[in-house]
Amino acid sequence: MASHEQALVSLLNHVALSLDGAVLGVALAYVAVRSVLKFTFNYTALGKLRKAPSVSVSDLRSLLGDSETEGNSKNSQLVIVRGTVEAKSVVDSSWKSFRPAILVSWESGDKAVVVQRTQTCIYNEWKGFFGWTSDLRALFSRSRRQRESTSFRTVPFVLIDGRQWTHADYVVVNLDGSRHPLPLTTVYQKLQPINASPYTFLQALFGHEYPVGLLDEEKILPLGKDINAVGLCSFRDGIAEIRSSKDLPYFLTEMSKDQLLVDLAFKTNILFWGGIIFGSMSVAILGYAAIRNWNKWKEWRLRRQLQQQGHDVSNDADSQTAGDDEPEEVPDGQLCIICLMRRRRSVFIPCGHLVCCQGCAILVEREVAPKCPVCRQQIRNSVRIFDS
């Protein structure tokens, strides 16, 4: 690891552990709250999936009944429908059925109802001779850089029972408002290198990122693919229609009901224990930080009070002892062992040691737990000694 990377890691570590770990505790608490919210969402979705019936397209009408109430969401029911992908134009009884509206993959030529083409630009990772600023630049500019462009095309499609399909048994798939991932199949993937230009050398020299390759991918939802649709199903003008539910993390998937339950139960358990672990860690760290900072604040307040009292006492002691010391030199054996400036004048009670001047004796006596500086015995007060 380079020196600037070590400095960056050290800075992040210092920020995380600042205030005795309070910042780290808050971050862990945020992760714990997010885990709990996701756990609640997944737990609710798991209960709904367990109750949802899993049927084929041909059995859907008998399950829901032949209701033709248009746009009535109260008649919607959560179901798991197993079917085969087919273009909607095939089942339309109109002149359009002679020209089915389907999509064709640009590269493989496969017929599909959804085509997603993505171009991802790959940048270099070398930091160059003057690239010590690239890490800081990457924190702010890399997230804003447009690294990929995606084109998404779709045509209306339905699910049919591929084994015993009649033109009356199909369910229309409504993708409006759905943000769930689709079970797309990759049919094309190619990495094309980008030729370097004279400007590329300067970019590399000063640590700026420059493109080195372009990854081209194409994914499709092909005709004839068997998938499960998990959503709210209802009849509109006598035609079954299924749409996604915001309360579920799945819509179109290749997994069966049992696989969905196992996958969602595993994620729910991970979120549950993750929330408990991160929550316990955040409570422990925040509690430790609160106690430590509270003790530091009390120590700081006590120290300020003692400094203020010591300042006042020192002024009083200086004024009292200003005229007591003789102008001649004080022998070494009679100097105060604390300030080493004035003559020993005060005796500590009960140990009886005469080792301090009056001012230093008053300062020792005003401490929280006053002790004799010689024998370390706790003292009650001090007595001024006068020469005869």
Side-chain angles (χ1 to χ4, degrees), residues 23-79:
V23 176
L24 179 60
V26 172
L28 290 176
Y30 173 76
V31 175
V33 171
R34 290 291 302 271
S35 298
V36 171
L37 293 178
K38 290 183 179 180
F39 163 77
T40 304
F41 174 80
N42 285 2
Y43 184 79
T44 305
L46 185 61
K48 292 182 178 180
L49 278 180
R50 286 173 178 168
K51 298 179 182 179
S54 179
V55 297
S56 61
V57 176
S58 58
D59 298 331
L60 190 60
R61 188 174 297 273
S62 61
L63 176 66
L64 299 180
D66 193 4
S67 175
E68 299 185 4
T69 305
E70 182 176 357
N72 191 353
S73 59
K74 294 182 179 180
N75 294 332
S76 300
Q77 182 177 348
L78 181 64
V79 295

Side-chain angles (χ1 to χ4, degrees), residues 230-241:
V230 185
L232 300 174
C233 189
S234 61
F235 281 93
R236 184 187 297 268
D237 295 334
I239 300 175
E241 180 184 79

Side-chain angles (χ1 to χ4, degrees), residues 191-353:
L191 179 61
Q192 300 177 355
I194 298 179
N195 296 328
S197 63
Y199 180 63
T200 303
F201 173 75
L202 296 178
Q203 289 179 310
L205 182 65
F206 290 94
H208 291 271
E209 293 182 339
Y210 58 91
V212 294
L214 185 65
L215 180 61
D216 196 358
E217 292 181 298
E218 189 175 47
K219 298 180 180 181
I220 65 171
L221 182 59
L223 296 177
K225 185 173 184 178
D226 293 333
I227 61 174
N228 275 327
V230 185
L232 300 174
C233 189
S234 61
F235 281 93
R236 184 187 297 268
D237 295 334
I239 300 175
E241 180 184 79
I242 190 168
R243 64 183 185 278
S244 63
S245 174
K246 296 181 180 179
D247 299 331
L248 299 177
Y250 308 103
F251 181 33
L252 300 179
T253 176
E254 296 177 335
M255 294 185 291
S256 63
K257 179 180 179 179
D258 293 337
Q259 293 174 336
L260 289 174
L261 292 176
V262 171
D263 181 69
L264 192 56
F266 176 76
K267 293 179 180 178
T268 304
N269 290 331
I270 293 296
L271 292 172
F272 174 75
W273 290 110
I276 291 179
I277 293 174
F278 287 117
S280 302
M281 292 175 60
S282 64
V283 169
I285 294 176
L286 289 176
Y288 170 79
I291 294 175
R292 287 270 302 185
N293 286 282
W294 173 256
N295 291 334
K296 286 182 179 180
W297 180 79
K298 289 196 300 184
E299 292 176 1
W300 174 82
R301 185 179 63 175
L302 181 60
R303 190 161 49 249
R304 287 295 300 269
Q305 292 176 353
L306 292 177
Q307 288 177 355
Q308 187 65 29
Q309 293 176 1
H311 180 71
D312 297 339
V313 171
S314 178
N315 292 336
D316 295 341
D318 290 342
S319 62
Q320 291 178 8
T321 60
D324 292 341
D325 293 337
E326 296 83 354
E328 67 273 14
E329 284 191 19
V330 180
D332 292 341
Q334 298 182 13
L335 284 175
C336 171
I337 64 172
I338 296 180
C339 66
L340 298 176
M341 294 176 60
R342 292 185 289 269
R343 188 184 297 273
R344 303 176 182 181
R345 295 289 189 184
S346 297
V347 176
F348 292 116
I349 305 299
C351 66
H353 285 118

Side-chain angles (χ1 to χ4, degrees), residues 1 4-18 21 23-24 27 135-136 139-140:
M1 184 180 294
H4 59 277
E5 294 177 347
Q6 294 178 352
L8 183 61
V9 171
S10 177
L11 176 62
L12 295 177
N13 184 44
H14 180 73
V15 171
L17 298 179
S18 60
V23 176
L24 179 60
D135 288 334
L136 297 178
L139 293 176
F140 302 100

